[in-house]
Amino acid sequence: MAETSFDVIVIGAGPAGYPCAIRAAQNKLKVACIDEWKNYDGSYAFGGTCLNAGCIPSKALLESSELYHRAQVEFAAHGIRAAGVEIDVATMQKRKAHIVKTSTQGITGLFKSAGVTALQGHGRLLAGHKVEYTAADGTKQELTAKHVVLASGSSPMELKSVPFDGKTVVDSWGALEFTEVPKRLGVIGAGVIGLELGSVWRRLGAEVVVLEAMEQFLFIADQQVAKEALKHFKKQGLDIRLGAKVSGAEHGKGGVTLHYADGAGEKSVTVDKVVVAVGRRPFTTGLLGTDTGIELDERGFIKVDHECRTGATNVWAVGDVVRGPMLAHKGKEEGVVVADLIAGLTAEVNYRTIPSVIYTAPEIAWVGQTEEQVKASGRPYKVGSFPFMASGRARAMEAPAGFAKVIAATDDDEILGVHVIGPMAGELIAEAVLAMEYSASTEDLQRTIHAHPTLSEALHEAALAADKRAIDFPNK
Ligand code: FAD
Ligand code: NAD
């Protein structure tokens, strides 16, 4: 590599790092982005967890498994007889691999067209915002930069009592690579990954037991939504056991026996494969040299202020490696904002309007506060809900489950939170995000024309229901 001096060096090319590098280049800065991600076959790939082992491959399998499920269970209601529907896991995995490859190669192309120097290998921050770059062949080089952005992401948490072995006990990446449908699958953790990947393999025919330590299901979501979700997941055959504290795993000829305790005492369940999905931790292994001035908090996150500045001059950190939700779009926004701040532009991340989506069926999506949070804040509020069973479009789609819910302040009508469980919830929530970004009131949503018949009318009607003015459903 001829060039060793840059305006900005970004370490990590996941959804936080690569947009940061591209935006910095758009801002006419000289940029390098270093990434060490290696796939199971040893090949380097940009895109980080999200593109290689997270968002994209999981959604590819969710889509395939949902289509299989529909063909088997839902087509009949449409008057379509689909006898002998079969799955071919190898083709499903091949399709997924192709989508991943196209996405990660796309980043190489984006770097090229933006003029970002793309470096595959390891980056280590040194004192004085310098970076040591170790290339694939082991050669080391010291690079200088005016600014360094750390975007090293996160890695799965391991349970000491049920350690990964890469074959029977796997992390989320391993669970995306199964070559056949396990007969019995144990999932530890009923969080986002547990529910999404549990759904994939359940729909494809596995008996799925989900062991969740907490008594409360989906504590991060609005509890009315969580209750509705639990009802649907149980109906789909996900055996979700709450308050289950796993104490160990015993490997035997008949599978893996997971031992756990719940309110009723000691229990066990035997399965063929186990996915451990109990959260992720910030990844900083090998990232920081000595005297860099970077501080980690008690959970290992790089400490940053509201603008993602670390304690070290001209060193920034974004994405999963810093506080806040571990979401690709949160990291992307931080990366873009930091690149703009470095260029002297005005920019900020609105942490109050980061949407969350769980890509199960029905989908779950929300933005802003849950009803429990609004209640706890003491601010007087009103709620409007609209069930999808009253939506003509949802009924036409044979997808009438769930509802949209709008929570707003009573005093000034400001929308405080929007929660959707139902068809395409992840797409519908974008309207609520935009509304909240512009501090919209329920009246703004009420007076916005929504096309008919669309699923988005559910949001419209929920906003109307907040003032007991819904048209298509009786007001309570
Ligand atoms: P990462 O994506 O982890 O990227 C960090 C990159 O930095 C990696 O490529 C890593 O190899 C590299 N790196 C680390 N240290 C160094 C170093 N010293 N030198 C060089 N390179 C280094 N989020 C969503 O918003 N929507 C979803 O649908 C979704 N689905 C998910 C499904 C699964 C199964 C998983 C596991 C996660 C999912 N996530 C989802 C979360 C999402 O993947 C993360 O929030 C996101 O990838 C974080 O981006 P990041 O850039 O901070 O880190
Ligand atoms: P999570 O934090 O969403 O859920 C972990 C779950 O495991 C929690 O319910 C927790 O109570 C439970 N748990 C913890 N320790 C346990 C134990 N010992 N036994 C049983 N249960 C235990 O974490 P995750 O599902 O691993 O996902 C990691 C991150 O990836 C999340 O922050 C999430 O935001 C992100 N992600 C996002 C998406 C999406 O946006 N659709 C999809 C997948 C992952």
Side-chain angles (χ1 to χ4, degrees), residues 65-81:
S65 63
E66 177 64 7
L67 286 179
Y68 175 61
H69 170 80
R70 280 203 204 141
Q72 276 195 317
V73 179
E74 288 175 18
F75 276 18
H78 290 269
I80 304 170
R81 272 185 229 113

Side-chain angles (χ1 to χ4, degrees), residues 12-229:
Y18 87 76
C20 179
I22 289 174
R23 174 54 62 86
Q26 287 169 349
N27 288 336
K28 310 268 179 273
L29 298 168
K30 198 169 139 199
V31 186
C33 186
I34 307 173
D35 194 281
E36 66 181 358
W37 183 280
K38 271 193 186 170
N39 282 312
Y40 283 131
D41 65 2
S43 60
Y44 280 103
F46 290 118
T49 306
C50 178
L51 274 69
N52 289 289
C55 326
I56 300 304
S58 61
K59 270 76 238 176
L61 291 186
L62 275 158
E63 192 65 27
S64 301
S65 63
E66 177 64 7
L67 286 179
Y68 175 61
H69 170 80
R70 280 203 204 141
Q72 276 195 317
V73 179
E74 288 175 18
F75 276 18
H78 290 269
I80 304 170
R81 272 185 229 113
V85 179
E86 286 177 22
I87 47 165
D88 170 358
V89 178
T91 302
M92 222 175 254
Q93 291 288 20
K94 209 166 139 195
R95 188 189 88 96
K96 180 206 75 184
H98 177 71
I99 294 163
V100 168
K101 200 164 186 180
T102 318
S103 309
T104 58
Q105 284 177 344
I107 294 183
T108 308
L110 290 173
F111 277 163
K112 210 168 174 186
S113 74
V116 172
T117 301
L119 302 174
Q120 282 170 321
H122 184 75
R124 190 161 73 105
L125 180 72
L126 306 176
H129 43 93
K130 289 187 182 131
V131 171
E132 179 189 76
Y133 165 58
T134 308
D137 63 6
T139 51
K140 289 186 193 298
Q141 231 172 337
E142 193 170 290
L143 312 178
T144 58
K146 292 183 189 140
H147 294 264
V148 177
V149 184
L150 306 174
S152 54
S154 62
S155 58
M157 281 189 199
E158 188 166 21
L159 277 183
K160 273 201 189 110
S161 55
V162 192
F164 296 126
D165 64 14
K167 269 180 84 177
T168 317
V169 180
V170 298
D171 61 14
S172 53
W173 194 5
L176 288 165
E177 301 293 325
F178 289 157
T179 51
E180 55 187 44
V181 182
K183 190 169 174 316
R184 299 163 301 175
L185 176 67
V187 178
I188 306 183
V192 193
I193 292 180
L195 292 173
E196 288 187 358
L197 296 186
S199 294
V200 165
W201 295 109
R202 172 70 205 125
R203 288 172 197 161
L204 296 179
E207 291 164 25
V208 179
V209 176
V210 186
L211 302 177
E212 164 59 47
M214 296 201 33
E215 295 286 354
Q216 194 184 5
F217 179 63
L218 265 186
F219 66 95
I220 50 168
D222 184 278
Q223 284 306 292
Q224 195 185 345
V225 170
K227 208 169 138 201
E228 175 81 5

Side-chain angles (χ1 to χ4, degrees), residues 420-444:
V420 184
I421 173 166
M424 310 297 281
E427 302 297 329
L428 295 178
I429 206 66
E431 176 182 352
V433 175
L434 190 66
M436 288 184 66
E437 184 64 35
Y438 283 86
S439 304
S441 61
T442 59
E443 190 184 352
D444 291 322

